Every structure is written in C-alpha cells, then in structure tokens.
Amino acid sequence: MQQYFEYSQEVKQALQERKPVLALESTLITHGLPFPKNIETAMAVEKIARENNVTPATIAIMQGKIRIGLSSDELETLVQDQHAAKASVRDIPYLLSQKLNAGTTVASTLFCADFAGIKVFATGGIGGVHRGDDQDISADLIMLSKTPIAVVCAGAKAILDLPKTLEFLETYSIPVVGYRTDTLPAFYSSETEYQLPARVDDLTSLVNLLKIHWQLGMPSGVLIANPIPSSDEIPADIIEPAISNALKQAEKKRIRGKAITPFLLSEVAHVTQGKSLLANITLIKNNVRLGAMIAQKISAL
Ligand code: PSU
Ligand code: MN
C-alpha cells in the first residue's frame, strides 16, 4: 500500500520524530471555496498550524499518488486544475489508476491520514444526512465510525438534516464533544437547539478524553464540535431562507450525488453576498487553531 503514498519531506520528518502533525482536507480547496479564497485559505491554515509548532499535512490525490503534505507549488497546481475531482473513499482506486488530481473529502482524508499514522484532523464542517433525502448519507459519517482520529469541525453543515445526523452519530457510537458548547453548532451559526452528549471547556479535559478513547481501543473517531466565533456567525433567520432556496434550486436543476454539497454551498454564498464565505473561512481557521493545539498536546503525552 505504501507505494501509493508520497509524503512531503516536512511531514515525513515530523512523523519520524513523533512531532505533532495535523491533517487537513482538500475538497475544501477544490470544491468548497471559490478561487482565490481557496488557495488563500489553504495557505493561511497551514500558517496557523506552523505558528502553533505543528506540521500541517494537507492531503490530496495528485498524478496518481496519495500525497500527505503539499508544497505551495503543489497547492497551486491543485487549485489551477479545473478537472480536479472530488475524491471520496470509493473514488480513490479509480483516481490513482487514471493518475488524476483530486481534493479529498473528510471521508477520504480520514482513510489516508489513518494509514499515515496521523491522529488529529481539522476541517470546516463534516458531511451528514441530507435534508429530504435521508438515503443520502455522507461517507464522512461512515468513515468516522471506523477511523480512530480526532476530527475538529464546526458541527455539520446547516444544509443538512442535523437531528438525523446526530442520530446517525449516536447509532454508530461516535463520541461527539462540544468544545465550550452544549449544543451542536450548525457551521454558519454557533448554536442550535440540539443538545450534545458531552461538553468540555478546556484543552486538558479534551485531550484526556481522546487519550481514554484510544486506550480503550474504540474503533471510531471522535467528533469535536467547535462553534464558529460569534463575530462572523450568521443568524439562523438569515441563513435558513438562503438554504431552503438553494435546496429548491438543486431540486429544480436535478443536482444529485456528490455535486449536491458544492452546489448548495455556492448557492448560499451567492445569496448571502459572500457572508457565508467569510463565515466558512473564519470557522476553518478557528478549527485549525484548536486542531493544532490538540495535536501539540497529544504529541507531548
Ligand atoms: N466543509 C466545507 N466545505 C466543503 C466540505 C466541507 O466547509 O466543501 C466538503 C468536505 O470535504 C466534506 C464534503 O467531506 O464536503 C462532504 O461531501 P458529501 O456531502 O458529498 O459527502
Ligand atoms: Mn451524498
């Protein structure tokens, strides 16, 4: 399997020396954010990790290899590739065999990070159970149920069915921990009416929980719900109409499968005149900051 992986020098060295490494996904770059915000954000979050003495490992598929850690030139190449695919786990064999480029989703980033031995991963919001079509369940949830990695996110995207997503997380025994919150954050908004099963208020308690989860040999990941900073959150009464409008558009245009999430995100950005974009970027940075602090503390264990 090793033959399909290529590590950046920086990540390879950090892993060998057991220094803290933070996994980052790349669908955010290829399908989540528009140019040039995507490349700016990708660079900015790597910088945040480094400022916290953590090596960022942005994961992507490039020319038929699973890349763990990208140089800024490689990030640029990925961003410029109009044909870059959105790689979920099942797409990996095809993409490798065709030597294509792709951004990795939360699901496939989990798969790759696990093989590389990385324990902490920061993203924006995870996929979940879709509204209306509860047969549409993101592979993010399935991979979370069987990959023992700590995932920092700002809750599930508000475009999803949040109660059903929480039910799924419960059924598949995935711990969900609110970081300084009692309720599930909804990506653009810091709180919802949905209570979480656990809450911690400091880093030490959080890392302690993770340590015990891993010591018990639990097969799942741990989802850490880190609310968007209130300065950039969008109140539910503003974001909700934008979302239901985007859902109607998707229905009308018969957008299906993996195209749905990117379509909804860009529709919402359009209707909110970029406000949702700013929120998205703020929450990613906020998650990377927390992810880096966790990675730092874990490597000291
Ligand atoms: N969060 C964002 N923007 C995104 C995504 C998450 O802020 O683009 C991506 C992630 O890569 C996530 C994917 O894994 O959307 C989920 O897609 P789907 O619903 O098709 O599983
Ligand atoms: Mn789907």
Side-chain angles (χ1 to χ4, degrees):
M1 185 160 170
Q2 199 62 258
Q3 78 235 52
Y4 298 111
F5 281 74
E6 233 169 65
Y7 298 76
S8 70
Q9 193 49 43
E10 186 190 18
V11 171
K12 194 194 226 164
Q13 194 170 346
L15 287 171
Q16 273 166 3
E17 295 173 4
R18 295 180 169 278
K19 291 200 171 126
V21 176
L22 178 67
L24 300 166
E25 59 141 314
S26 51
T27 291
L28 222 57
I29 308 171
T30 56
H31 293 74
L33 299 170
F35 182 82
K37 292 283 181 217
N38 53 359
I39 182 89
E40 287 167 15
T41 306
M43 302 275 197
V45 295
E46 291 214 343
K47 187 158 169 263
I48 291 170
R50 289 198 182 91
E51 283 166 358
N52 284 279
N53 299 312
V54 170
T55 305
T58 301
I59 294 178
I61 291 173
M62 296 193 73
Q63 295 179 317
K65 293 274 185 202
I66 294 170
R67 301 294 318 266
I68 313 286
L70 301 180
S71 68
S72 41
D73 282 353
E74 288 163 338
L75 268 178
E76 191 76 45
T77 305
L78 188 64
V79 164
Q80 296 298 343
D81 182 357
Q82 302 297 321
H83 301 292
K86 172 178 164 184
S88 195
V89 179
R90 68 160 181 185
D91 305 309
I92 295 176
Y94 172 73
L95 294 165
L96 295 186
S97 68
Q98 299 285 322
K99 306 218 177 330
L100 294 169
N101 293 340
T104 49
T105 62
V106 169
S108 54
T109 304
L110 279 170
F111 176 82
C112 301
D114 190 41
F115 181 79
I118 302 171
K119 300 302 288 177
V120 190
F121 167 23
T123 181
I126 58 157
V129 183
H130 279 260
R131 291 197 203 178
D133 183 4
D134 55 16
Q135 292 295 318
D136 185 350
I137 298 172
S138 175
D140 293 358
L141 296 181
I142 310 294
M143 287 309 290
L144 263 168
S145 73
K146 52 182 181 184
T147 318
I149 288 180
V151 179
V152 184
C153 69
K157 270 165 284 188
I159 56 173
L160 300 166
D161 188 320
L162 299 181
K164 281 188 184 145
T165 301
L166 278 176
E167 285 296 340
F168 189 101
L169 291 163
E170 180 180 322
T171 302
Y172 285 82
S173 305
I174 302 161
V176 185
V177 189
Y179 187 69
R180 299 181 179 161
T181 179
D182 289 320
T183 68
L184 179 72
F187 201 64
Y188 304 117
S189 335
S190 61
E191 47 185 283
T192 60
E193 60 191 284
Y194 311 115
Q195 294 293 316
L196 292 177
R199 167 187 177 136
V200 295
D201 287 279
D202 63 275
L203 212 54
T204 306
S205 311
L206 183 54
V207 168
N208 224 346
L209 182 157
L210 291 173
K211 197 175 93 182
I212 295 171
H213 179 81
W214 289 324
Q215 281 172 338
L216 292 172
M218 294 220 168
S220 75
V222 173
L223 196 61
I224 299 159
N226 187 32
I228 181 173
S230 54
S231 57
D232 286 338
E233 78 174 316
I234 309 178
D237 57 328
I238 294 184
I239 203 74
E240 250 322 301
I243 292 170
S244 55
N245 182 56
L247 285 164
K248 273 192 209 118
Q249 292 297 323
E251 178 82 33
K252 215 158 90 190
K253 295 189 171 156
R254 293 172 189 273
I255 311 257
R256 300 254 154 83
K258 66 206 267 182
I260 287 235
T261 297
F263 176 83
L264 294 176
L265 289 174
S266 86
E267 277 293 303
V268 170
H270 183 69
V271 174
T272 62
Q273 295 168 319
K275 267 213 191 82
S276 69
L277 215 56
L278 176 67
N280 201 338
I281 294 168
T282 299
L283 66 87
I284 293 167
K285 290 179 178 170
N286 191 48
N287 293 342
V288 169
R289 218 168 281 122
L290 180 59
M293 291 191 289
I294 296 168
Q296 182 66 253
K297 242 186 156 32
I298 279 169
S299 79
L301 286 179

